[in-house]
Amino acid sequence: MDSASTQPVELGSPVGTPVALPPASTGVEIPAALLDTLWSEAEAGSLELSRDEFAQKLMAVGAKYNYGLAPGQRASSMQVETFYRALQLRELALAHACALGREAAWEQFLQRFRAPLTLAAVAITGSSSLGQDLADSLYSELFGLTERDGQRRSPLASYSGRGSLMGWLRTTLAQRHVDHHRRTRRETPLEDTDFAAASSAPTPTTEALSRLGDSLAETLRALTPDDRFLLSAYFLDRRTLLEIAQLLCIHESTVSRKLKNLTAGLHRQLLKRLQASGMSKRAADEALGTDPRDLDLNLRNLLQAPTAGTFSNQTKSSGTKQT
């Protein structure tokens, strides 16, 4: 790491000057009752985050991603509410409050993420000392110590709440490590370079995660409603094979066989799509080992799209047939 990042950064309390945030995009106004519910579920009050501040962040995220719909489509009030409820509300509120420099939020952030973030940095670099340096440099960046155009900015302002905050942090760490490695390779003679040991489980880059997310979304959308229902019931609703078999009026072994064939087919389709996007077979295989929580993707929305039917709808229709 550079000389400025070799000393540990102490983040006991936020810097006095507020962190400047990019202008938020205007989204659909949130009804007061819904906002109160979302604000309470996010426990935003404990983070010194007001309802108006949280509402502005929610509307910015909603406008950016068009509430999970295709570009050009207009979201209904129900679709807007469904989009907001699917977000990682507590983590979104925490990241936003930290970006605003709220002391209570930073205390919670450090308590929850400092140790896991350091462990992730050590795994990425393959070195305890280099990992500590990498984590410390990211702390200072997240804290808004970096100035751009004369204003302090925190990368946490870009977190959307559509994936886990820890996954976002790991991806950011990996990207900073790659950026540093490229920079030092240009600056340091090759014979004097002492490379860190490679991580046994490479962390995918932002680009790889983006390609994987796009490929997974396309693959799931191409499934039949029955296949999407089966995946949703088993992996999201945590139904047993027996419960699904009873709902579909088929044998338990049939459900098991269908799931096995379905997941194997998904694996093949994802490999094809990733390779078609320009990734090598090895890179595609590594990408498929990614934790789904690290993806900026709402799997429940994809699997329980209106054409697929939700598990509760399937349950009601199945129950009607059996009576």
Side-chain angles (χ1 to χ4, degrees):
M1 309 298 290
D2 53 50
S3 58
S5 64
T6 55
Q7 298 299 321
V9 177
E10 293 298 330
L11 301 179
S13 60
V15 178
T17 306
V19 178
L21 299 178
S25 303
T26 302
V28 178
E29 290 292 332
I30 307 175
L34 175 60
L35 177 58
D36 286 343
T37 299
L38 299 176
W39 187 81
S40 297
E41 289 181 2
E43 300 179 359
S46 68
L47 304 170
E48 302 174 355
L49 193 65
S50 71
R51 284 174 172 80
D52 287 342
E53 289 169 332
F54 191 48
Q56 288 297 319
K57 182 62 178 179
L58 288 172
M59 289 190 293
V61 172
K64 180 179 180 180
Y65 295 101
N66 194 31
Y67 304 99
L69 302 177
Q73 290 187 352
R74 187 177 180 84
S76 66
S77 58
M78 181 59 69
Q79 288 171 322
V80 170
E81 180 176 346
T82 299
F83 175 82
Y84 285 145
R85 289 185 180 277
L87 296 176
Q88 304 289 332
L89 293 172
R90 293 184 182 180
E91 296 190 343
L92 179 62
L94 177 62
H96 188 49
C98 285
L100 291 172
R102 305 295 156 80
E103 183 174 357
W106 272 109
E107 289 176 356
Q108 290 193 32
F109 180 89
L110 292 175
Q111 183 179 9
R112 288 181 56 188
F113 294 107
R114 183 155 198 167
L117 196 58
T118 301
L119 290 175
V122 170
I124 289 171
T125 61
S127 163
S128 178
S129 59
L130 291 177
Q132 185 66 58
D133 287 345
L134 177 62
D136 286 339
S137 66
L138 182 61
Y139 292 140
S140 65
E141 186 180 355
L142 294 176
F143 202 58
L145 298 183
T146 302
E147 289 194 4
R148 297 176 184 174
D149 301 325
Q151 293 182 318
R152 290 173 49 245
R153 297 190 183 278
S154 170
L156 283 167
S158 66
Y159 173 66
S160 67
R162 299 179 76 219
S164 72
L165 181 53
M166 190 61 220
W168 183 89
L169 290 168
R170 281 198 297 265
T171 301
T172 304
L173 266 178
Q175 189 61 57
R176 297 301 182 270
H177 179 57
V178 170
D179 293 342
H180 168 73
H181 181 61
R182 288 172 177 168
R183 184 172 63 253
T184 53
R185 282 192 65 182
R186 290 195 297 267
E187 296 173 352
T188 308
L190 188 61
E191 60 272 18
D192 294 335
T193 303
D194 182 16
F195 294 103
S199 171
S200 58
T203 302
T205 63
T206 303
E207 181 182 1
L209 287 174
S210 176
R211 291 185 182 183
L212 177 58
D214 291 342
S215 297
L216 182 57
E218 292 174 5
T219 302
L220 293 179
R221 289 192 188 103
L223 294 175
T224 65
D226 287 345
D227 286 344
R228 278 186 281 172
F229 165 70
L230 194 58
L231 290 174
S232 177
Y234 187 73
F235 291 105
L236 298 183
D237 296 323
R238 301 295 184 182
R239 296 284 178 170
T240 65
L241 295 177
L242 179 58
E243 288 174 326
I244 299 173
Q246 291 173 340
L247 287 168
L248 300 179
C249 299
I250 58 179
H251 196 274
E252 185 177 354
S253 62
T254 303
V255 177
S256 176
R257 185 172 62 255
K258 283 179 175 289
L259 277 171
K260 181 178 180 180
N261 293 337
L262 182 54
T263 53
L266 284 174
H267 188 273
R268 290 193 298 270
Q269 288 298 317
L270 280 172
L271 274 179
K272 286 183 180 179
R273 291 182 186 276
L274 289 173
Q275 289 179 268
S277 72
M279 296 179 70
S280 66
K281 187 177 186 304
R282 179 179 178 181
D285 281 328
E286 291 178 352
L288 289 180
T290 302
D291 187 335
R293 293 171 295 181
D294 292 349
L295 298 176
D296 193 9
L297 200 66
N298 192 310
L299 295 177
R300 185 172 292 277
N301 280 354
L302 285 171
L303 290 174
Q304 296 186 340
T307 55
T310 62
F311 185 84
S312 59
N313 289 339
Q314 291 280 359
T315 304
K316 290 177 182 177
S317 62
S318 177
T320 302
K321 292 178 182 177
Q322 290 178 351
T323 56

